[in-house]
Amino acid sequence: MHVRTRFAPSPTGYLHVGGARTALFNYLFARKHGGTFVLRVEDTDHARNTDDARAAIFDGMHWLGLDWDEGEGKGGDFGPYNQSERNDIYDRWFEVLRQKDRVYRDDGAWRFRFERKPVTMTDLVCGEVTIDYTNLENTPDMVIRRSDGSYVFHFVNVVDDLEMKITHVIRGEDHLMNTPKHLQLFEAFGVAPPQYAHIPLILNPDGSKMSKRDVGAAVGDYPRQGFLPAAVVNFVALLGWNPKTDEEIFTLSDLAERFSLENVNRSPARFDFDKCTWLNQQHLARLSPGELATAATPFIRDAGLPVDDRLPACLAAVREKVRLLSEIPGALAFLLNPEFEIEEEPLAKVRGNAAAKDLLTALAVGFEGLADWSAENAKHAIGDTAQAHGAKAGQLMFPTRVALSGKGGGPDLGDILTILGRDACVSRLRRFVDLL
């Protein structure tokens, strides 16, 4: 069997992280089995559909790397892939039901006549689920065509899956109770249904249902916040799927190789923004220097900092200290901008050291006298200066760091000395002494 999965968003808002996970799981399942991943658009809600929402969905999919095989911009043998263009197809299948006496009019609308029997489905995640349709009061016949002639979700969803030969429907657990309705439609059409897998809901850390306004909900926010696509994909995959090992860091290709529906959890997933940020840090650490520079450059430019031949060394110095690309400008600004701000807390700490002013003044002279500048020689100068004033080298290290960076922490002092060079270090030491 050739596996065919689909993602069917409605362009009424941005791409939600829950929708992104649905798309990801369908993508991974198709790739794992050498199948086809279809993107179709459920755009029949003309009042709420917007071009911006449509673009946001496509942009989000592209950013995540979830490239589809059929659909928008790709074509395919089972189009059109917009529901708004498929009405003739729906009319044809509606006529099949009418000929079989499975539909009837009710106040101008058309209802589908359920068979009054228990319907059992075997879900690939949730297991066996049975809905008893023998009681008309609990399970009234459903409307499939409104009085204005438009078709409802349940009908068009089934027709599209049937026509596009979808073999596996992977979707949110909130659709679980709809599936027996869909199975009755497939049976009425005389067509075998796809296999269904309903994946768990995504909850906020406090256990509440995640809404569109919650932190982390909008996929479009992640690029602006400085996340890498690979990290977000990694994080979203772990919202409900478990590799059954201690591994946590995966690329998209890793996930396609490892993914299985058997390892999808039954219980709801808890969204953890800190975990997403930590995963981003791990993926940043895996970037080559060139990849990191390419990813970081837009953020550095937006911060008004220069992008020049110092950038590779600056990035190498701070890469282990940052979690997001958006943190990089703040981490390296002092290396590129001589007018950097000095933070109040470390400044106050240095001012509390009575010997700091004399030590730093002498160190500036010592640095100026170094003909051969290197981090090693500069550190020797720090040690020699401290010793000459009856202090330990460690007592001068912190004031030197604050003088050169304006911060109490950050990159290795040796990296700072190397990147800034002798003249900049001397200038910064004297500027700092004037503040003390």
Side-chain angles (χ1 to χ4, degrees), residues 45-191:
D45 188 347
H46 301 295
R48 295 176 61 219
N49 292 342
T50 69
D51 290 340
D52 286 347
R54 188 183 185 93
I57 290 169
F58 297 149
D59 289 347
M61 295 276 286
H62 283 306
W63 185 75
L64 291 167
L66 305 183
D67 198 20
W68 53 94
D69 304 303
E70 294 178 21
E72 179 81 14
K74 302 280 184 170
D77 296 333
F78 301 94
Y81 292 90
N82 297 313
Q83 283 185 344
S84 59
E85 302 173 48
R86 297 175 61 79
N87 213 62
D88 290 348
I89 297 170
Y90 303 143
D91 287 344
R92 189 171 73 246
W93 284 101
F94 176 79
E95 187 61 25
V96 170
L97 295 181
R98 206 169 68 82
Q99 293 296 328
K100 291 185 174 185
D101 195 30
R102 293 299 299 273
V103 292
Y104 61 92
R105 276 190 179 277
D106 179 22
D107 287 335
W110 288 87
R111 289 185 179 271
F112 173 68
R113 199 188 309 276
F114 285 130
E115 284 197 6
R116 295 299 160 184
K117 63 181 183 180
V119 175
T120 299
M121 59 173 285
T122 301
D123 187 88
L124 296 176
V125 173
C126 301
E128 195 171 278
V129 178
T130 300
I131 300 293
D132 190 352
Y133 281 87
T134 56
N135 188 338
L136 183 64
E137 297 297 318
N138 292 338
T139 54
D141 292 336
M142 70 173 170
V143 172
I144 63 167
R145 192 174 190 179
R146 302 179 187 90
S147 56
D148 64 2
S150 63
Y151 294 100
V152 303
F153 161 78
H154 300 293
F155 180 78
V156 297
N157 188 269
V158 165
V159 170
D160 287 345
D161 285 344
L162 180 163
E163 283 271 332
M164 295 180 186
K165 301 188 184 303
I166 301 302
T167 62
H168 294 78
V169 173
I170 304 169
R171 59 189 181 187
E173 195 179 57
D174 50 329
H175 285 292
L176 182 62
M177 291 299 102
N178 291 331
T179 302
K181 301 174 184 177
H182 299 174
L183 292 176
Q184 286 235 26
L185 279 168
F186 277 107
E187 186 177 24
F189 289 139
V191 178

Side-chain angles (χ1 to χ4, degrees), residues 284-312:
L284 280 175
R286 293 183 168 205
L287 295 182
S288 70
E291 290 169 336
L292 180 60
T294 299
T297 292
F299 292 88
I300 295 169
R301 284 206 168 109
D302 285 348
L305 295 170
V307 175
D308 53 35
D309 56 7
R310 295 173 293 173
L311 184 59

Side-chain angles (χ1 to χ4, degrees), residues 347-361 389 391 395-396 399 433 436:
L347 175 60
K349 193 172 180 181
V350 175
R351 280 176 170 160
N353 177 354
K357 188 170 185 177
D358 289 342
L359 285 169
L360 292 172
T361 301
H389 288 74
Q395 293 175 273
L396 183 51
V433 165
L436 296 178

Side-chain angles (χ1 to χ4, degrees), residues 223-250:
R224 293 189 291 272
Q225 292 169 345
F227 284 91
L228 296 171
V232 177
V233 163
N234 191 163
F235 173 68
V236 169
L238 296 175
L239 289 173
W241 173 79
N242 191 322
K244 304 300 183 187
T245 70
D246 292 334
E247 296 171 88
E248 292 189 285
I249 314 302
F250 299 97

